Amino acid sequence: MTALLVTALLAGGTAPAATTDGTATRTTPDGAPGASDGVPRLTDDRGRTLTLRGWNVEDKTHHGPDALVAITERHFADLRAHGFNFARLLVFWDDLEPRRGQYSEAYLRKIRRILDWARTHRVHVVIDAHQDVFGPAFDHRGIPAWATRTDGLPFTPHPDDWFAEYFEPAVQRAFTHLYEDADLQQAQARMWRLLADRFGGHPAVLGYDLINEPMGELRQGEDLATAARRIEATQLTPMYRRLAAAIRTRDRTNWLFVEPTPIVGEGVPTGLGRVADRRVVYAPHFYDTAMEAGADYDPAAGWIEAYEKAVNVYPREQSIPVVVGEWGPLNSGLPNMRRFHDDALASFTRYSSGWAAYVWCYGGGYCALDRDGRLRTNKERAVTPYAPAVAGTVRTDTHDPGTGTYRLAYRSSPRPGTTVLSLPPSRTGWRITVPGGRARPSARHVPAGPARQVTVRAVGGVEVRVTVRPAA
């Protein structure tokens, strides 16, 4: 997440406004030109095109013996009940290895229990090694205190703007040591080898997010955008390569999610280099500084268009898929937040394989649901029909938030496979139309009631068009 300090440092960095009607559309390169040109899709082990829709699941409050107690099976049952298939699970190195070389078996058991719940409810999980303002040495969570080296530099808390604490000298120096000290490099790699060894074979695990919102140390006279690109190129890229190599000694198949610094949210393309692995996902976050400070969405400001332009550069160059790892405003009840959700979802569909919104919890602030489990204002905009798996090449993928109509067009794989449609809970039910006789849905009418899945089987190598409409 970003804050007003970043806005001040990058004033004037956004692009001119562009118009949008809020319709989420994906077009492949052999269709009409679009922002997704050159950005490949995430795929499963059967070669099907995947779409991930879900939320972050976390417990930042409890640690030690009480770590992760706030996460329950209800989280995953409710995710699936709303049609979501994805969770980004926050885990903390400081809980996993509270003392150097001593890993918590109790914490590992708790992670496994959470993954078992996810499997029960058919939710894919990315294990996220999370940090906020480095870790407990600065009264946050993430990198253990024993792995925090500041060279005696000062740290002043900013209780009204926690992100500003990233720019404190002690925090910045701690990142430098994490990236450059050989013993800390080895400790971080051992931590990831352990996680991959314990959970790489778990059916719920889709991949690993190697570090949350990494930052670094600015040099004298260096502006933030320049510093971010340097940190990404010279420190994050080598770190990701080291961690990828460590994980691959234990797990050869799951996806590796790599993040830029949060400065990508200011419309700054990342400076990350290539991570030479066949299963790498680019996982930026999607936060606007003004909205993080409590402002309403301004469609005319052009922030979404600037972000989308910047975020597409790296995955096009590297030919890797994109999954947005975090997004969502602090106050979703402001007048323009309905428009924000529709515009954001439309943008994600143009270039990404999915997203995890922030955060699936029960209460106020960023929480998706109130204490009674009802979606909070405008959060329901994220609950739409979609295709979790497509047995073929997606041509177009469109959701019209005005009518609730979802349209999918794809060319089926040469070898026949099963496409899956996810239909959220509905008071009216759904009507599914698939013209022609070479592709057939498992149901053409879905009654009102809970979320359902419908499959489509098609012969090989044909164009398939699917329309899902709310029933009258």
Side-chain angles (χ1 to χ4, degrees):
M1 305 176 194
T2 53
L4 290 175
L5 176 60
V6 185
T7 301
L9 291 168
L10 287 174
T14 56
T19 60
T20 175
D21 63 1
T23 299
T25 305
R26 179 196 306 282
T27 305
T28 54
D30 53 352
S36 64
D37 290 1
V39 179
R41 295 292 304 275
L42 196 68
T43 57
D44 67 8
D45 55 5
R46 287 181 275 176
R48 297 184 301 176
T49 301
L50 295 182
T51 294
L52 304 175
R53 297 278 181 89
W55 294 74
N56 284 259
V57 176
E58 67 175 30
D59 180 0
K60 291 185 178 182
T61 302
H62 301 92
H63 58 88
D66 295 327
L68 302 177
V69 297
I71 301 174
T72 67
E73 185 172 4
R74 178 188 180 188
H75 286 73
F76 298 92
D78 286 352
L79 276 168
R80 174 52 69 179
H82 286 85
F84 297 114
N85 69 341
F86 180 45
R88 180 174 178 260
L89 173 64
L90 279 59
V91 301
F92 298 102
W93 186 2
D94 58 292
D95 267 326
L96 177 61
E97 192 179 1
R99 289 173 294 280
R100 185 169 190 144
Q102 297 181 26
Y103 298 102
S104 170
E105 288 295 330
Y107 193 65
L108 291 166
R109 286 193 297 271
K110 290 179 180 181
I111 294 173
R112 180 169 293 280
R113 181 177 63 181
I114 291 169
L115 294 176
D116 289 344
W117 291 333
R119 179 189 185 186
T120 296
H121 297 285
R122 294 173 293 125
V123 173
H124 299 293
V125 174
V126 165
I127 297 174
D128 162 43
H130 206 84
Q131 67 79 31
D132 293 315
V133 193
F134 204 77
F138 307 109
D139 201 26
H140 290 274
R141 302 298 312 280
I143 315 301
W146 60 259
T148 304
R149 296 170 183 167
T150 66
D151 297 338
L153 294 176
F155 171 76
T156 301
H158 296 261
D160 296 327
D161 183 8
W162 66 266
F163 192 84
E165 295 174 2
Y166 275 114
F167 300 94
E168 285 293 312
V171 176
Q172 296 201 347
R173 184 59 54 84
F175 276 105
T176 296
H177 282 294
L178 176 68
Y179 300 145
E180 297 183 356
D181 290 8
D183 63 326
L184 296 183
Q185 292 175 357
Q186 293 165 5
Q188 189 183 25
R190 284 195 299 270
M191 180 267 293
W192 266 118
R193 276 196 296 271
L194 174 64
L195 289 172
D197 183 62
R198 293 296 182 92
F199 306 122
H202 196 286
V205 173
L206 179 75
Y208 313 104
D209 192 332
L210 302 185
I211 187 171
N212 176 70
E213 295 184 354
M215 290 289 282
E217 188 168 6
L218 277 69
R219 293 174 176 170
Q220 186 69 30
E222 193 175 44
D223 66 76
L224 187 55
T226 301
R229 288 192 291 267
R230 174 185 54 78
I231 291 164
E232 290 160 346
T234 66
Q235 293 178 317
L236 294 186
T237 301
M239 179 187 70
Y240 288 147
R241 290 169 177 166
R242 287 192 301 271
L243 298 182
I247 289 170
R248 290 307 184 216
T249 65
R250 302 294 190 270
D251 181 346
R252 305 293 299 178
T253 59
N254 284 313
W255 293 84
L256 308 178
F257 287 60
V258 299
E259 298 189 30
T261 65
I263 312 310
V264 71
E266 300 303 314
V268 179
T270 184
L272 284 175
R274 181 169 182 76
V275 180
D277 191 279
R278 65 187 182 88
R279 290 193 168 222
V280 174
V281 177
Y282 185 47
H285 292 181
F286 180 87
Y287 289 115
D288 172 63
T289 55
M291 284 189 284
E292 285 297 284
D296 200 358
Y297 173 53
D298 180 5
W303 175 75
I304 288 180
E305 293 77 19
Y307 175 94
E308 185 173 320
K309 181 179 179 181
V311 85
N312 272 278
V313 175
Y314 179 72
R316 278 203 196 101
E317 290 175 347
Q318 302 298 327
S319 191
I320 60 176
V322 177
V323 173
V324 175
E326 286 187 25
W327 73 281
L330 175 61
N331 186 349
S332 64
L334 295 172
N336 289 333
M337 284 303 169
R338 178 185 177 100
R339 171 72 180 272
F340 169 72
H341 281 81
D342 291 345
D343 287 356
L345 293 166
S347 178
F348 299 155
T349 305
R350 285 191 288 269
Y351 63 84
S352 82
S353 289
W355 44 262
Y358 189 85
V359 55
W360 196 255
C361 58
Y362 305 85
Y366 288 98
C367 284
L369 307 110
D370 65 21
R371 296 191 185 280
D372 296 322
R374 295 183 297 259
L375 286 165
R376 296 174 65 216
T377 303
N378 292 315
K379 300 294 187 182
E380 79 283 351
R381 308 301 292 176
V383 181
T384 70
Y386 68 102
V390 177
T393 302
V394 176
R395 304 297 199 189
T396 59
D397 186 342
T398 302
H399 178 254
D400 183 340
T403 66
T405 300
Y406 173 68
R407 290 182 173 87
L408 170 70
Y410 65 99
R411 183 171 182 81
S412 63
S413 303
R415 179 177 297 177
T418 301
T419 291
V420 180
L421 307 175
S422 176
L423 309 182
S426 170
R427 295 179 179 178
T428 63
W430 301 97
R431 187 170 74 245
I432 301 97
T433 304
V434 183
R438 308 187 76 184
R440 294 183 180 276
S442 59
R444 296 188 181 273
H445 298 276
V446 172
R452 290 274 299 274
Q453 286 193 338
V454 171
T455 59
V456 178
R457 293 280 299 180
V459 300
V462 300
E463 299 295 331
V464 182
R465 299 189 310 278
V466 180
T467 302
V468 178
R469 292 184 177 89

